[in-house]
């Protein structure tokens, strides 16, 4: 008698039948789908190792886009920035006012409309002088002097290393907090102190880049995208630029 070979289809059917028994109360293992199957494997690591890996690949990436809200002090800033090692560019909105930032090397430029500058230009001066200064600056890239108080504050929004270092830190005891999806990409979530110290979504596809961050204490939510996608970065033409001098108007 020729033995009957149990083929792949028969084995699959048998496995399905065995898993179906679990519904009736029989305890079986191996039936649940592995959420880390076919991924980059970081979902199987501890939360501490996931955070270390995601920081490492973020720091080594050539470029990134950062989009969302950051609460700093008593202000909320809405960011949409593209960053790389040589500088960055994008828009920042705070208290209803939107301005553009551009940094190439150590040269930082700020561009806003006349209304933005009229709030701070020549505080304590005459109205006509204020209007004239605002008109001169509005719609132009204004070069921010390195000694100006605004330089340190605004250049931080254009500095990839500084911004990521300040953002990608979760506080408290780290733990993995389930699997999710961000913009169609499977992720593993890690959290600090059960979420009160912030949560971070890390990609399970390709390199384990950070994709979404909820900052501790409700201090904003940010998404990260376009990792490693280079973009052109150049200083504005002289016709587009105003050099205000040693210090910008307070704004």
């Amino acid at each position: 008698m020729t033995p009957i070979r149990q083929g792949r289809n028969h084995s699959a059917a048998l496995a399905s039948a065995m898993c179906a028994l679990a519904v009736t109360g029989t305890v079986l293992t191996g039936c649940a789908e592995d959420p880390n199957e076919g991924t980059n494997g970081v979902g199987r690591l501890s939360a501490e190792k996931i955070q270390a890996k995601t920081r490492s690949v973020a720091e080594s990436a050539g470029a990134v886009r950062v989009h969302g809200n950051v609460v700093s002090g008593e202000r909320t800033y809405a960011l949409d920035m593209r960053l790389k090692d040589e500088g960055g560019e994008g828009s920042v909105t705070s208290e209803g006012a939107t301005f553009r930032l551009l940094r190439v090397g150590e040269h930082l430029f700020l561009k806003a409309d006349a209304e933005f500058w009229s709030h701070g230009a020549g505080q304590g001066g005459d109205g006509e002088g204020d209007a004239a200064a605002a008109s001169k600056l509005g719609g132009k890239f204004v070069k921010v002097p390195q000694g100006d108080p605004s330089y340190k504050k605004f250049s931080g929004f254009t500095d990839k290393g500084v911004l990521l270092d300040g953002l990608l830190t979760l506080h408290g005891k780290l733990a993995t907090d389930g699997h999710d999806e961000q913009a169609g990409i499977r992720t593993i979530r890690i959290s600090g102190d059960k979420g009160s110290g912030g949560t971070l979504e890390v990609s399970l596809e390709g390199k384990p880049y950070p994709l979404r961050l909820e900052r501790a204490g409700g201090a904003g939510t940010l998404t990260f995208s376009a990792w490693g996608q280079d973009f052109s970065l150049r200083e504005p033409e002289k016709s587009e630029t105003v050099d205000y001098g040693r210090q910008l108007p307070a704004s």
Side-chain angles (χ1 to χ4, degrees):
M1 181 181 294
T2 303
I4 300 174
R5 297 183 180 272
Q6 293 186 344
R8 184 176 179 180
N9 291 338
H10 178 82
S11 298
L14 180 60
S16 298
M18 291 178 67
C19 285
L21 292 176
V23 178
T24 65
T26 305
V27 178
L28 295 173
T29 60
C31 297
E33 181 181 353
D34 181 0
N36 296 302
E37 186 69 29
T39 70
N40 55 26
V42 296
R44 296 188 174 99
L45 302 178
S46 67
E48 291 80 3
K49 289 184 177 181
I50 295 173
Q51 178 170 249
K53 277 187 170 290
T54 196
R55 287 179 66 93
S56 177
V57 297
E59 290 169 359
S60 63
V64 65
R65 180 188 177 196
V66 182
H67 180 267
N69 300 304
V70 172
V71 179
S72 179
E74 297 181 354
R75 288 194 175 190
T76 298
Y77 297 91
L79 310 180
D80 189 355
M81 301 295 301
R82 296 197 69 180
L83 311 170
K84 59 183 180 178
D85 294 336
E86 298 82 8
E89 65 174 352
S91 65
V92 179
T93 301
S94 179
E95 297 183 348
T98 298
F99 53 92
R100 293 194 62 80
L101 290 175
L102 167 64
R103 184 178 63 82
V104 183
E106 295 183 346
H107 297 166
L108 176 66
F109 301 88
L110 189 155
K111 183 178 181 180
D113 58 21
E115 184 179 0
F116 172 88
W117 293 110
S118 67
H119 289 301
Q123 285 186 347
D126 63 277
E128 292 184 2
D130 294 353
S135 177
K136 179 183 178 181
L137 301 177
K140 295 283 188 177
F141 282 100
V142 179
K143 190 173 184 179
V144 182
Q146 291 189 37
D148 189 277
S150 298
Y151 185 91
K152 183 177 181 180
K153 177 170 66 175
F154 291 144
S155 65
F157 290 131
T158 66
D159 191 312
K160 173 177 168 284
V162 170
L163 193 62
L164 292 182
D165 185 59
L167 293 176
L168 297 180
T169 300
L170 300 177
H171 302 280
K173 185 177 180 180
L174 298 183
T176 55
D177 192 22
H179 293 71
D180 208 336
E181 186 176 289
Q182 180 66 30
I185 299 174
R186 288 179 293 172
T187 63
I188 180 73
R189 184 189 303 108
I190 58 175
S191 64
D193 280 348
K194 298 181 179 180
S196 63
T199 62
L200 184 65
E201 301 277 349
V202 178
S203 175
L204 286 174
E205 302 177 20
K207 293 185 178 180
Y209 287 122
L211 298 183
R212 185 176 186 274
L213 169 72
E214 290 185 19
R215 301 184 71 204
T221 300
L222 293 164
T223 59
F224 306 90
S225 60
W227 285 104
Q229 297 181 19
D230 196 15
F231 59 96
S232 61
L233 195 63
R234 64 170 183 84
E235 293 192 17
E237 302 292 337
K238 288 187 177 180
S239 60
E240 304 174 285
T241 309
V242 174
D243 192 340
Y244 194 81
R246 290 188 174 184
Q247 187 170 349
L248 297 182
S251 182

